[in-house]
């Protein structure tokens, strides 16, 4: 614990956002492979899927769930943005609350999918993907508020672009290349873990993500509380 306390807060926040990036990989694998090809974290994927579905007449590609995912992701981001905007910069009690909401939603879905087969129920399946999307919207808005450079937790396209365009090969200084590479690797590994978890059931991938979200919220809260205590500010 003493060694963790010695780590700068900015580094701790980076680790926490990287953990959420892994969690997003798990969630998107669960959604795409287990819930009718829907991305609940990567909205770019849903937009592309919808474009192809419209061109195809919707015969072979889903339309309803990607649309719902887009709507509820934006709703989650809007709700989190409104709540966090009233708080201070950096980590705050509102940040902890926001991430605990994410953890709570995913935990509830893990329990639901453990006791009910949502894959064979179109209504429950749509509710599950919509709830996952709103939780990912909240997570993305929270990560944006923390302003950890190059880490969004839900998408790595811009991260890959930055890694290549700022590389030595491109004549850049390769700034942030380690965190960029880690973000890419972790979302990939998360997708592997999510796909593997589906061999057991939807609930397992969701449980993994829920545990990570809880751990991130608790760790962030403990660090924030300790800093406020050290500064003589009542938590």
């Amino acid at each position: 614990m003493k060694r963790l306390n010695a780590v700068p807060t900015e580094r701790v926040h980076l680790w926490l956002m990287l953990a959420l990036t892994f969690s997003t990989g798990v969630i998107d694998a669960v959604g795409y492979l287990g819930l009718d090809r829907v991305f609940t974290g990567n909205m770019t994927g849903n937009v592309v899927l919808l474009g192809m579905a419209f061109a195809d007449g919707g015969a072979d590609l889903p339309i309803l769930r990607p649309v719902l995912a887009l709507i509820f992701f934006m709703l989650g981001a809007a709700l989190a943005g409104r709540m966090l905007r009233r708080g201070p910069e950096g980590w705050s009690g509102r940040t902890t609350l926001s991430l605990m909401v994410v953890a709570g939603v995913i935990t509830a879905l893990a329990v639901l999918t453990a006791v009910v087969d949502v894959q064979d129920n179109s209504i429950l399946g749509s509710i599950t993907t919509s709830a996952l999307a709103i939780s990912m919207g909240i997570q993305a808005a929270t990560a944006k508020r923390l302003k950890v450079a190059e880490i969004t937790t839900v998408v790595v396209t811009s991260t890959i672009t930055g890694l290549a365009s700022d590389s030595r090969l491109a004549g850049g200084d390769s700034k942030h290349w380690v965190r960029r590479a880690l973000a890419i690797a972790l979302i990939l590994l998360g997708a592997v873990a999510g796909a593997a978890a589906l061999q057991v059931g939807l609930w397992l991938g969701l449980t993994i993500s829920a545990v990570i979200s809880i751990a991130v919220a608790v760790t962030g809260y403990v660090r924030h509380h300790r800093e406020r205590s050290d500064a003589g500010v009542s938590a």
Side-chain angles (χ1 to χ4, degrees):
M1 181 61 71
K2 289 182 178 180
R3 294 180 63 182
L4 180 60
N5 289 339
V7 177
T9 297
E10 293 77 10
R11 181 63 59 85
V12 173
H13 289 175
L14 171 62
W15 292 348
L16 296 181
M17 294 305 99
L18 286 172
L20 291 180
T21 301
F22 176 88
S23 177
T24 298
V26 176
I27 290 294
D28 266 342
V30 168
Y32 189 84
L33 297 176
L35 294 166
D36 196 24
R37 290 179 286 183
V38 179
F39 292 106
T40 54
N42 178 13
M43 291 300 109
T44 303
N46 283 330
V47 172
V48 173
L49 282 174
L50 285 172
M52 293 188 294
F54 292 147
D56 189 46
D60 301 315
L61 291 169
I63 293 179
L64 176 61
R65 289 184 185 177
V67 168
L68 289 174
L70 281 167
I71 293 171
F72 281 95
F73 184 94
M74 289 190 292
L75 176 61
L79 291 173
R82 176 171 287 276
M83 179 180 70
L84 294 170
R85 191 165 288 110
R86 298 176 180 177
E89 292 290 333
W91 199 287
S92 67
R94 292 174 184 264
T95 307
T96 302
L97 176 60
S98 179
L99 291 177
M100 286 305 297
V101 168
V102 172
V105 170
I106 300 175
T107 299
L109 292 174
V111 173
L112 173 65
T113 54
V115 299
V116 179
D117 186 1
V118 302
Q119 291 172 297
D120 288 335
N121 187 306
S122 60
I123 295 177
L124 288 178
S126 296
I127 290 173
T128 301
T129 54
S130 298
L132 283 175
I134 199 169
S135 67
M136 290 297 98
I138 293 171
Q139 176 183 296
T142 304
K144 183 176 183 293
R145 181 70 174 177
L146 284 175
K147 299 179 179 178
V148 176
E150 301 301 320
I151 307 297
T152 67
T153 78
V154 293
V155 65
V156 292
T157 302
S158 58
T159 306
I160 294 171
T161 302
L163 181 64
S165 64
D166 293 339
S167 66
R168 301 288 185 183
L169 181 63
D173 58 4
S174 292
K175 185 179 180 181
H176 297 317
W177 78 267
V178 174
R179 66 177 61 186
R180 286 167 170 166
L182 282 173
I184 296 165
L186 284 170
I187 204 166
L188 172 64
L189 291 173
V192 171
L198 282 174
Q199 301 302 313
V200 178
L202 285 172
W203 66 269
L204 181 56
L206 295 175
T207 299
I208 292 171
S209 182
V211 169
I212 292 172
S213 297
I214 293 170
V216 167
V218 171
T219 302
Y221 168 77
V222 170
R223 169 52 70 100
H224 173 63
H225 179 78
R226 183 181 66 80
E227 287 187 334
R228 289 173 64 88
S229 296
D230 289 347
V233 178
S234 174

